[in-house]
Amino acid sequence: MSTVRLAAASLLAFACASPFATRAADAEAPLLNPLFQDHAILQRDQPTRVWGDAKAGDRVTVTFAGKKVTAKADAKGHWETSLPASPAGGPYVLTAKTGGGHEQTISDVLVGDVWLCSGQSNMVLQVKRSLDARAEVQNASNDRIRMLTVDNVSSVTPLDSIPATDHWLKTTPENVPEFSAACYFFARELQKTVDVPMGLVVAAWGGSRIQPWMSAQALRKVGGYDAPLDLLELYAKDRTKAGEQLDAQWRAWWHSRPGVAASDEPWNPAHITQEGWQPAPLDKGAWQRWGKPELANFTGTVWYRTVVTLTAAQAAQAATLHLSTVNEADQTWVNGRWVGTTYGGDPRSYAIPSGVLHEGENPVAINVLNTYRDGGLYGDASQRALHLADGGTVSLADHWQYRAVPSSYGPPPSVPWQSTQGLSTIYNGMIAPLGDFTFRGALWYQGESNTSDPSHYQALLEALRSDFRARFGAQLPLLIVQLAGYGAAPTHPQESGTAGIREAQRLAADDDARSALAVTVDIGERTDIHPANKQELGRRLARAARHVIYGDTGLPPSGPVPASVQRDGDAVSVRFKDVTDALVVYGADHPVGFELCTAQEDSCRYADADVHGDTVTLHASLPAADIARVRYCWADSPVCTLYDRAGLPAGPFESPVTSHRSAQESRP
C-alpha cells in the first residue's frame, strides 16, 4: 500500500490524542491521484502527466527516477505536472511532497507501455473463464505485466478520480484469475517481441452500449442526441423534473405505437381492464421459464401489475416501494404516478412521492424491457413490499398479472442517466477519472449491445476514437476487436445486425492509419456470446499492434482484406491484399460464405467461388448486370472458410461491385 505520512512526528502524535484528529487525518489525505499506487506502470519514452490534490496554494514537488518537477495547487487544491520521458525500466519510487512536509511515496513503479482496455463483457471476461484456465492461472507469474481494473461506476457528471480501492496488481496465480483475459493475453503475446513492462488499465462494463462511453460533447457532435443530453443535464440538477419529463416522453412513445388505443394505459388506474392480462407465475423466475410458448424465447417488453391495499394510516406515511430482481430495465408507476426507472439485474427501491398513496387499492404497474435472456420481475418474493415510515411493511409478494407487448412496438425510449444504456454515464464515471494518464494505445471490444442499430455505429465508433484522443493524446492508436460469431449457422442469406456492426468496425479501422482490426468471427462460439478462446484474440491484437504501433510493416495487421471487387464478364472477381503467401480454403476445394446481391434488400444469393492466387471469382444465378454488391460471411454466426497460410481468416465485409474499366484497386 502507499505510505502517507507527516514529517513532523510530534504533530502526528498530537493528532492521535487530540479531538482535532479528524482534521489531522484530512491533512494526511493522499497527495497523488488514486491512479498512482504501488506497483503502477508508467508510459515510457513520453512525458508522463502526474496529478493529485493538496491544500490550496501548496507547492508540490514530485521526484521519480532521478528527476524532479514541481507544481502549485490551485484554489480548489488540484495540482498537475509532467515528468520528463523515461526509458523502460524500474522499479522506481515516486514521491510527492509539499513544502509543509506532507509526503506520499509510491513504491515498485515500472516504466513500460501502458494500455487502456475498454468495452463490454467480452473485454471484462476473466482469465478464469478462458480456455485452459486452470493451467493459465497456475503458470501466471510475471512481475512485468500489471493490471488496474477500474470499478464499474456510472455518473451523470464527470468524476475526478477512480475509487481509491482500485489497485495495481502484479501477474500472479492469486491475482490473474480476475484479470481481463483479452487484455492480459494481448500483453503477454506482445511482450514476446516488445520486451518491456506492460501496464493494463481495464475500464470495461458488461452489457454496455457505445453511447455511455462517450462524452456529452462527442455525442453532440455526432448529432441526434441533444434532447436526451439536455434531459441528462436537467437530471443532474433536478431529478424530479427530469423524471416528469421522462414520464411524458414514455407515455408519448406508448401512444405513438400503431394500434394502441387512447384508453390503453396500463399504468393508469382509470383505465384498468382485464383484457389481455394473465396471472404471472413469478415463483418460476424469468418469463422465459414460465412454460408459455410465446415467451420461451421472447425479448422485448412485458407489463406487470398488482394492487396494494392500505389503511388510511398507512397511506398517510412516507413509503418506499421495494421490488425483487428486475432484468433489465423498468419503468414503474404507483397510482398512475411515475416513481422511477433503473437498468440492470438488481432489486429496485423507489421512494413514493407524498400524496401518491391513498386509502384502499393502490395499483402498481411496471413495464420491463429485456434484450438478452432471463427477463422480467422475479427473485425473492419477500423483497417485494411497500416499506412504511413507521417500520411496517405491506407485502407485494403475490397476485401479480402480466401482459406481453408485441415485438412490433419496438424498444421504448432509452433513459439517458442509466448506467450501461444511457449517455455519457460510463465516460463520466470510468474514463473522465483517468484524467490525462499517458497510454501507448487503446483496445476496444464492444458492439454486441448496439446490434439493433448498426447503421449509426461507424459514426459513433469514429467519434469515440476522437473522444479518446482528445483526452489521452491526438496520436492514440486504437485496436478494434471485430465481433465474434454467435448464434445458429445460417442456411440462407439473411440480414444481420451483428454483421452490420462488423462492417462498421472494419470501415472505421480502415479509415484511420493509427487504427487496426482484430478479426474474430472464426473464434466465436455458436452457443455462447462470450467465446473462451481469448488467447488467439490476444495473438491477433498483438499482431495488429506490432504493425500499426511498432512499425512492423512487413507483418500484415490482420489477414486477407478485400482490395477490389469488380465485374468480370458474367462473374465477379474479389482481389485480396495483406495475404501471407496465398489464399487457402479449409475443408473443401471452394470457399463458402460469399453472396452476390442486387441493390435491393433481401436480394442476396449464395455464390459459387473459385480461388486463384490472391483472387476469388464468384458465380451466381443472378444476371451479371444486376449484381451491385458482394458480401462475405454476412450473418450472426457465419461459416467462413477462406484463410491465408498464416492461419488468419479473411474477415466479413460488404463491398459495391465496380465495372472492370472503372475499378481503382488499392495495391498492397
Side-chain angles (χ1 to χ4, degrees), residues 298-337:
F298 179 75
T299 55
T301 54
V302 170
W303 285 101
Y304 290 78
R305 74 180 186 187
T306 192
V307 172
V308 55
T309 302
L310 302 176
T311 66
Q314 290 172 325
Q317 299 181 46
T320 303
L321 176 65
H322 288 262
L323 301 172
S324 53
T325 299
V326 179
N327 193 30
E328 60 198 70
D330 71 290
Q331 301 288 337
T332 301
W333 293 263
V334 176
N335 276 328
R337 174 72 176 268

Side-chain angles (χ1 to χ4, degrees), residues 276 278 287-288 290-299 302 402-405 407:
Q278 302 178 57
W287 68 56
Q288 290 90 346
W290 289 356
K292 306 283 186 179
E294 68 276 15
L295 295 178
N297 297 300
F298 179 75
T299 55
V302 170
Y402 82 95
R403 172 184 148 193
V405 178
S407 298

Side-chain angles (χ1 to χ4, degrees), residues 79-109:
W79 62 268
E80 184 169 349
T81 187
S82 185
L83 291 166
S86 298
Y92 300 109
V93 172
L94 173 65
T95 301
K97 185 176 183 180
T98 68
H102 183 192
E103 182 177 337
Q104 182 181 2
T105 298
I106 303 298
S107 301
D108 188 31
V109 178

Side-chain angles (χ1 to χ4, degrees), residues 146-162:
R146 301 177 181 183
M147 185 175 290
L148 171 71
T149 301
V150 179
D151 277 351
N152 290 350
V153 176
S154 171
S155 176
V156 297
T157 56
L159 302 181
D160 293 329
S161 300
I162 63 173

Side-chain angles (χ1 to χ4, degrees), residues 137-148:
V137 169
Q138 288 178 341
N139 297 326
S141 182
N142 187 340
D143 181 54
R144 297 167 72 246
I145 296 178
R146 301 177 181 183
M147 185 175 290
L148 171 71

